[in-house]
């Protein structure tokens, strides 16, 4: 996570909820070029984390990049850029977590792609990658359209905010505001919904491992919507601190830490994001998404490193801590994220380790403050995910 410095740093952009955060006592810190709330005075970090696991918490995620892709060839174009099966998404609002990849097979960014029409996509990607993503998309679009008459438009939704309401009671809160049941809104599906007269687009997804929604709303309506949500007895405000420990318990990556352009989806243990029809072999048609040849060659084959979970004994292992072979003390990897788990009351971490050390139950060492502590490779998520499967 970005280090905390003055909220007045000139480079930090402000979301439409900046004044809302100040009014509620939010501690604002620079994050991915934005001034974002780290925490609020109403709850400690652990209390905020546990409130999300048991009730509902409201997160401002307006720093994320929202784009709308339209045109007869929008789906075809997206298929070239990501590993997921976008063509296979139902045009009635089905979504998938996917990865933008480079020609060399690295991960450019992670993204949620939702098909909201036959030839229309709603896409959310990371704030810290926004400039890089847009440059990549436009460069690839220029190449794509130069090959013939292609109809694709990519529009930045710079007039929209995004908030996430997460936790086991989050959807019931939204149902009260909507005046209707959301039982038919499946996990990773979205729809346009009015909340107390405010037009929104609600997607049943999130970054905490709990049931919940992300709500896209016009900037001008965002503060009023946030006030409506936070006034509910089930809802508390939450910031980046709780968001980080929640996502790590859920085994979810943070771009720039647990994955980047130097690792492939296979090395990042994200093989499940690759659409089944894109996992092709020698006899099949040549794959068309960027980096496919390199990525698909790693499936079932030896790879030099792999992302794993760790349960760490002793002090917490933070990003950058070396992972070593207990038998030889040789460095075999590096921690990319680490926190004390409020639910497990144990220290957990993600790391990349050399092939052969990635199997669950393997004991390794982690160097913390010059001392080697034992750690055990663990399956992820560390805490069971509670996504809605109705």
């Amino acid at each position: 996570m970005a280090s905390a410095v003055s909220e007045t740093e000139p480079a930090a952009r402000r979301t439409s909820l900046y004044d809302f955060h100040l009014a509620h006592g939010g501690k604002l810190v620079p994050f991915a070029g934005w001034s974002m709330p780290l925490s609020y005075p109403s709850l400690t970090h652990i209390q905020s984390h546990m409130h999300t696991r048991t009730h509902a918490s409201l997160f401002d995620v307006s720093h994320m990049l929202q784009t709308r892709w339209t045109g007869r060839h929008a789906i075809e174009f997206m298929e070239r850029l990501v590993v997921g099966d976008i063509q296979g998404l139902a045009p009635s609002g089905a979504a998938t977590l996917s990865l933008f990849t480079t020609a060399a097979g690295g991960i450019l960014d992670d993204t949620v792609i939702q098909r909201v029409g036959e030839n229309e996509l709603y896409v959310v990607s990371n704030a810290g990658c926004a400039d890089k993503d847009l440059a990549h998309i436009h460069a690839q679009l220029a190449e794509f359209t130069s090959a013939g008459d292609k109809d694709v438009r990519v529009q930045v939704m710079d007039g929209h905010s995004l908030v996430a309401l997460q936790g086991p009671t989050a959807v019931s809160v939204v149902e009260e505001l909507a005046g209707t049941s959301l039982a038919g809104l499946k996990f990773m599906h979205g729809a346009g919904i009015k909340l107390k007269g405010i037009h929104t687009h609600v997607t049943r997804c999130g970054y905490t491992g709990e049931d919940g929604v992300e709500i896209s709303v016009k900037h001008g309506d965002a503060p009023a919507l946030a006030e409506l949500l936070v006034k509910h007895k089930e809802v508390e405000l939450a910031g980046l601190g709780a968001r980080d420990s929640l996502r790590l318990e859920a085994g979810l990556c943070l771009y720039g830490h647990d994955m980047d352009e130097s690792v492939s989806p296979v090395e990042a243990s994200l093989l499940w994001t690759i659409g089944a029809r894109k996992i092709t072999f020698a006899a099949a048609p040549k794959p068309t998404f960027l980096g496919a040849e390199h990525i698909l060659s790693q499936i079932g084959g030896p790879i030099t490193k792999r992302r794993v979970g760790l349960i760490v004994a002793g002090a917490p292992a933070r990003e950058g801590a070396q992972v070593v072979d207990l038998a030889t003390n040789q460095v075999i990897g590096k921690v990319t994220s680490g926190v004390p788990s409020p639910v497990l009351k144990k220290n957990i971490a993600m790391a990349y380790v050399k092939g052969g050390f990635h199997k669950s139950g393997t004991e390794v060492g982690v160097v913390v403050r010059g001392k080697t502590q034992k750690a055990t490779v663990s399956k992820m998520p560390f805490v069971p995910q509670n996504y809605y499967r109705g």
Side-chain angles (χ1 to χ4, degrees):
M1 184 175 295
S3 59
V5 295
S6 170
E7 63 167 286
T8 59
E9 184 177 276
R13 299 173 64 187
R14 298 177 177 183
T15 75
S16 64
L17 294 177
Y18 179 84
D19 290 337
F20 169 87
H21 298 314
L22 292 180
H24 288 272
K27 179 182 179 181
L28 297 170
V29 299
F31 181 77
W34 293 78
S35 185
M36 300 298 295
L38 177 67
S39 59
Y40 297 87
S42 55
L43 298 176
T44 66
H45 171 207
I46 291 177
Q47 289 172 334
S48 182
H49 181 110
M50 296 305 295
H51 186 86
T52 312
R53 292 275 182 246
T54 56
H55 298 279
S57 295
L58 180 64
F59 300 81
D60 181 8
V61 289
S62 299
H63 60 309
M64 303 291 277
L65 175 65
Q66 299 180 75
T67 54
R68 189 169 298 279
W69 302 46
T70 56
R72 297 190 316 277
H73 302 101
I75 309 299
E76 179 187 348
F77 176 54
M78 179 64 85
E79 286 272 344
R80 294 163 56 97
L81 303 188
V82 300
V83 301
D85 180 4
I86 310 307
Q87 180 180 309
L89 293 174
S92 54
T96 186
L97 174 68
S98 196
L99 306 170
F100 287 108
T101 48
T102 68
I107 301 173
L108 186 79
D109 198 7
D110 60 309
T111 179
V112 173
I113 302 168
Q114 187 172 153
R115 193 170 180 181
V116 294
E118 192 62 39
N119 299 306
E120 185 173 352
L121 300 169
Y122 165 55
V123 181
V124 179
S125 48
N126 283 300
C129 298
D131 292 341
K132 177 179 71 170
D133 288 354
L134 289 172
H136 173 75
I137 289 164
H138 288 301
Q140 290 296 318
L141 182 57
E143 181 179 326
F144 181 69
T145 54
S146 69
D149 182 20
K150 300 292 187 179
D151 176 28
V152 184
R153 292 172 296 281
V154 179
Q155 176 189 6
V156 176
M157 298 172 62
D158 50 13
H160 285 73
S161 297
L162 191 67
V163 296
L165 190 67
Q166 298 286 293
T169 61
V171 170
S172 64
V173 172
V174 176
E175 287 176 329
E176 286 186 34
L177 296 183
T180 187
S181 171
L182 297 185
L185 189 65
K186 299 178 182 179
F187 176 60
M188 295 305 284
H189 283 71
I193 298 174
K194 269 190 179 182
L195 302 179
K196 291 292 184 182
I198 299 173
H199 292 272
T200 71
H201 185 85
V202 176
T203 305
R204 200 160 195 166
C205 68
Y207 193 49
T208 63
E210 298 295 332
D211 189 17
V213 295
E214 291 187 353
I215 307 171
S216 181
V217 60
K218 288 182 178 179
H219 285 333
D221 292 327
L225 177 62
E227 290 289 0
L228 282 172
L229 291 167
V230 81
K231 282 178 182 177
H232 196 284
K233 60 182 176 60
E234 286 291 314
V235 179
E236 291 282 353
L237 288 166
L240 294 171
R243 186 170 179 254
D244 194 49
S245 53
L246 287 160
R247 68 91 188 171
L248 189 47
E249 281 188 344
L252 302 174
C253 296
L254 177 61
Y255 191 85
H257 298 257
D258 310 303
M259 58 180 170
D260 56 31
E261 293 181 42
S262 71
V263 298
S264 73
V266 181
E267 292 168 331
S269 299
L270 294 170
L271 177 60
W272 59 271
T273 64
I274 306 177
R277 67 178 181 80
K278 288 190 169 182
I279 301 179
T280 59
F281 300 93
K286 184 178 179 180
T288 56
F289 69 92
L290 284 172
E293 185 174 351
H294 175 73
I295 294 166
L296 299 181
S297 72
Q298 293 182 330
I299 298 175
I303 55 176
T304 59
K305 59 185 175 182
R306 190 182 296 272
R307 180 176 64 93
V308 299
L310 296 175
I311 302 291
V312 182
R318 303 296 186 179
E319 181 178 358
Q322 291 182 335
V323 183
V324 299
D325 179 356
L326 285 172
T328 66
N329 208 39
Q330 290 185 334
V331 177
I332 58 169
K334 184 175 71 172
V335 170
T336 55
S337 291
V339 296
S341 164
V343 170
L344 298 180
K345 295 180 172 56
K346 297 178 180 178
N347 294 320
I348 60 175
M350 285 187 197
Y352 279 87
V353 297
K354 288 183 179 179
F357 291 89
H358 65 280
K359 293 182 180 179
S360 182
T362 301
E363 289 193 344
V364 297
V366 178
V367 182
V368 180
R369 301 191 191 102
K371 295 182 179 180
T372 300
Q373 303 174 172
K374 284 188 177 180
T376 304
V377 175
S378 171
K379 290 183 178 179
M380 293 184 284
F382 297 100
V383 172
Q385 295 173 339
N386 295 311
Y387 299 128
Y388 179 66
R389 303 296 183 183

